Amino acid sequence: MNVHVLADPNALARAAAVFAVEAIAAAVSARGVAHVMFASGNSQLAFLDVLVGSSRVEWDRVIGFHMDEYVGIGADHPASFARYMRDRIVGRVSPRAFHLIDGLAPTETECVRYAGLLHDNPLDLCVMGIGENGHLAFNDPPVADFADPLDVKIVDLDLACRNQQVGEGHFPTVAQVPPRAITVTIPALLRARSVMVIAPDARKSVPVAAALEGPMTTACPASIMQRTPHAHIFLEPASAAGLRSSRM
């Protein structure tokens, strides 16, 4: 692991964007195109604002993906992650392509389709967050699988995950959060040549500490970062407050 604790959330966003710009540029230089998977959620907003504002990204050489979507929600729903990607990336910088997960499609068929896209377009960069329950994408504890044989699958969302969606303002009540989602699995996420974890905010201090300094266990899926040497974790003082060691 490579852990970076920046001075504040804005510095975190800038440093993470620099890393992403360089990873994208390296992929374009080596292979003519960069395949990038993006996370959604409030933790990614400042980073994405800096990234899409950079003049150094050749967006016409970028093919984008995202990592999860609610089952039963269409791309026009305010909480849809497909809509998040359209609003935050696609509509602002027009990448060469952006492959969106369809939450209204037959679920098994959609999992197979998206897994095929990932197989045909190996990821150069995967940008993730850490959930309040320690999840990566929608791989919730304790059922997350570090050796999942699938690349994309249907999952049941745990209560802590659904509560986070309410707390971040995406749904008014837990009852309105869909109970199931399509998610890219942990092995598929970590198969990217470079992995970034962007985790600002004090509410992430507990899962960050568990991920980086606790036992490696599916009780905290993000703890798999401990054996992911190509991962870079970007924190700021509030999200790093639970760490016992000083990391810069």
Side-chain angles (χ1 to χ4, degrees):
M1 284 186 307
N2 306 277
V3 180
H4 312 270
V5 182
L6 287 307
D8 55 52
N10 289 331
L12 184 160
R14 291 192 298 270
V18 168
F19 184 92
V21 166
E22 292 176 351
I24 292 168
V28 169
S29 176
R31 290 171 292 279
V33 65
H35 301 110
V36 185
M37 178 169 282
F38 293 96
S40 54
N42 294 3
S43 65
Q44 307 297 306
L45 294 176
F47 158 73
L48 287 176
D49 280 343
V50 178
L51 183 65
V52 300
S54 173
S55 61
R56 294 182 55 205
V57 180
E58 297 180 77
W59 287 102
D60 60 342
R61 303 285 190 96
V62 174
I63 296 176
F65 298 84
H66 63 131
M67 53 188 61
D68 41 29
E69 183 59 279
Y70 300 106
V71 170
I73 277 185
D76 291 328
H77 189 285
S80 163
F81 297 135
R83 178 168 177 170
Y84 181 106
M85 296 300 159
R86 287 202 331 247
D87 290 348
R88 296 288 171 181
I89 301 174
V90 179
R92 299 171 68 180
V93 291
S94 301
R96 176 180 295 185
F98 204 108
H99 296 294
L100 299 169
I101 300 171
D102 184 354
L104 295 179
T107 50
E108 294 289 353
T109 301
E110 185 65 358
C111 289
V112 171
R113 181 189 76 86
Y114 213 70
L117 289 169
L118 294 175
H119 178 270
D120 293 342
N121 300 273
L123 295 176
D124 295 294
L125 176 64
C126 180
V127 185
M128 296 189 284
I130 294 178
E132 291 178 21
N133 64 355
H135 71 201
L136 298 176
F138 271 147
N139 297 283
D140 282 338
V143 296
D145 188 347
F146 292 157
D148 205 308
L150 299 175
D151 282 355
V152 184
K153 68 180 184 180
I154 306 157
V155 293
D156 296 319
L157 303 182
D158 77 2
L159 182 59
C161 174
R162 295 168 72 194
N163 276 326
Q164 179 177 336
Q165 310 313 310
V166 175
E168 291 189 354
H170 305 303
F171 294 91
T173 67
V174 171
Q176 291 172 277
V177 181
R180 305 178 79 211
I182 293 171
T183 189
V184 176
T185 63
I186 289 174
L189 295 170
L190 301 187
R191 200 176 298 139
R193 289 182 174 90
S194 293
V195 171
M196 299 173 58
V197 176
I198 298 173
D201 203 315
R203 63 196 171 92
K204 299 298 178 73
S205 62
V206 171
V208 162
L212 302 189
E213 296 182 342
M216 198 179 73
T217 168
T218 56
C220 178
S223 63
I224 192 65
M225 291 297 120
Q226 294 178 29
R227 70 171 195 209
T228 308
H230 60 299
H232 287 255
I233 294 89
F234 291 86
L235 309 172
E236 43 77 41
S239 59
L243 297 177
R244 295 186 299 273
S245 57
S246 176
R247 299 172 181 264
M248 290 298 293

